[in-house]
């Protein structure tokens, strides 16, 4: 069965550009092109939720010029693609810490979410200024504030409440996480939500990612046995 929720760590833009003697921004631009194509392909492959890691809380440490390029690309992506995404029934959601973003970017993100709120063909979740530890910290601080104000009993804090309080409230956990470029780590991406996700690491650099790579990852997922800490279904039935 196809995974309902696929999350992608789009890695390797810099190496792609370097291999061609191009500035890094060209790698990121090519990365946006690859993203556009995946968004078009996803619904036909049975994917209902697609989450992409576009800018991490740690990416601020990059040179100022590169940070500005990534901010500019997000703006361009929303401005240029919003009409097509909306026409194709894509619902846009943003996760991450928004207050640190420039007001014009925040307004664009807010508008994109409002405009597409009723769409159903694909949920596109853009993780922007996102870091799992920051998200969990911010969420726990909020819950602690509620407890201190007497609005929440400590005993009421359970896994379901934490899930409902994260940026991903109401979204299913990712079934499959794909990371490109051969690196094999999660880099602070959806740590809580990926507790039982299947992981696929592909050696392709993100700008070269195509439908075939996505299909390969889905085939790998289809061969996995998900146990969530339990026992394999066949052995369970036999004993
Ligand atoms: C990692 O490549 C990629 C990023 C830090 C950003 C991902 C961004 C995009 C694909 C484009 C932006 C998309 C939107 C919607 C704005 P890297 O630079 O770390 O590559 P490297 O590891 O080869 O240096």
């Amino acid at each position: 069965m196809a995974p309902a929720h696929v999350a992608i760590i789009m890695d390797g833009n810099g190496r792609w550009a370097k291999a061609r003697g191009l500035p890094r921004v060209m790698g990121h631009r090519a990365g946006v092109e690859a993203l556009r194509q995946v968004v078009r392909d996803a619904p036909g492959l049975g994917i209902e939720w697609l989450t992409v890691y576009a800018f991490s809380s740690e990416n601020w440490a990059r040179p100022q010029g590169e940070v500005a390029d990534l901010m500019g690309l997000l703006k361009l992506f929303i401005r240029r693609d919003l009409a097509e995404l909306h026409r194709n029934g894509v619902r846009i959601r943003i996760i991450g810490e928004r207050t640190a973003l420039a007001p014009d970017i925040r307004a664009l993100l807010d508008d994109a979410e409002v405009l597409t709120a009723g769409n159903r063909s694909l949920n596109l979740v853009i993780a922007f200024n996102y870091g799992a530890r920051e998200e969990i910290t911010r969420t726990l601080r909020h819950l602690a504030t509620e407890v201190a104000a007497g609005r929440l009993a400590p005993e009421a804090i359970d896994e379901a409440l934490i899930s409902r309080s994260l940026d991903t409230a109401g979204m299913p956990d990712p079934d499959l996480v794909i990371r490109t470029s051969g690196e094999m780590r999660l880099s602070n991406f959806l740590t809580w939500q990926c507790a039982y996700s299947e992981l696929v690491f592909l050696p392709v650099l993100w700008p070269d990612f195509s439908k075939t790579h996505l299909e390969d990852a889905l085939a790998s997922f289809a061969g996995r046995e998900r146990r969530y800490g339990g026992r394999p279904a066949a052995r369970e039935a036999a004993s």
Side-chain angles (χ1 to χ4, degrees):
M1 221 176 81
H5 187 170
V6 175
I8 306 184
I9 302 176
M10 310 180 288
D11 196 11
N13 297 346
R15 275 162 284 172
W16 184 92
K18 191 168 178 210
R20 287 161 180 75
L22 297 169
R24 290 178 66 82
V25 65
M26 298 302 284
H28 294 313
R29 274 191 211 162
V32 174
E33 202 44 60
L35 172 61
R36 277 193 186 107
Q37 197 50 51
V38 171
V39 171
R40 288 185 194 122
D41 293 335
L45 295 170
I47 297 167
E48 294 164 28
W49 292 80
L50 179 70
T51 298
V52 293
Y53 207 3
F55 189 89
S56 80
S57 344
E58 288 70 37
N59 286 154
W60 294 104
R62 294 192 177 203
Q64 225 181 337
E66 186 172 352
V67 170
D69 286 339
L70 286 166
M71 296 290 157
L73 280 174
L74 176 71
K75 281 201 261 188
L76 208 63
F77 177 71
I78 301 281
R79 285 200 185 119
R80 276 212 194 139
D81 292 49
L82 188 57
E84 181 192 330
L85 292 168
H86 187 41
R87 221 176 19 252
N88 293 339
V90 177
R91 178 178 185 182
I92 297 175
R93 306 267 294 262
I94 315 291
I95 56 170
E97 216 283 289
R98 258 186 247 199
T99 57
L101 299 176
D104 61 334
I105 295 192
R106 285 174 64 180
L108 269 179
L109 300 180
D110 293 345
D111 290 351
E113 285 186 326
V114 170
L115 176 73
T116 62
N119 292 344
R120 291 291 174 267
S121 78
L122 176 74
N123 292 280
L124 173 63
V125 184
I126 303 175
F128 203 85
N129 193 24
Y130 177 85
R133 289 184 175 184
E134 189 282 326
E135 175 194 34
I136 292 168
T137 305
R138 182 161 39 81
T139 300
L140 294 184
R141 192 180 304 127
H142 167 71
L143 294 179
T145 308
E146 294 295 293
V147 170
R151 290 189 291 264
L152 179 68
E155 310 78 58
I157 300 178
D158 57 10
E159 292 185 14
L161 178 67
I162 293 177
S163 289
R164 280 204 305 280
S165 307
L166 293 166
D167 292 354
T168 48
M171 305 180 190
D173 287 340
D175 301 292
L176 169 65
V177 179
I178 301 170
R179 182 173 187 146
T180 58
S181 92
E183 308 289 348
M184 292 191 228
R185 54 179 171 267
L186 285 177
S187 300
N188 206 13
F189 186 47
L190 300 172
T191 306
W192 173 276
Q193 298 86 341
C194 287
Y196 287 104
S197 305
E198 296 296 327
L199 311 179
V200 169
F201 300 100
L202 298 175
V204 61
L205 300 175
W206 175 250
D208 291 327
F209 189 86
S210 65
K211 189 176 182 185
T212 312
H213 298 109
L214 183 54
E215 286 168 339
D216 288 349
L218 298 186
S220 172
F221 174 85
R224 306 278 178 95
E225 184 180 35
R226 303 185 77 192
R227 297 205 292 271
Y228 303 94
R231 290 196 293 163
R235 267 199 279 154
E236 193 72 57
S239 61

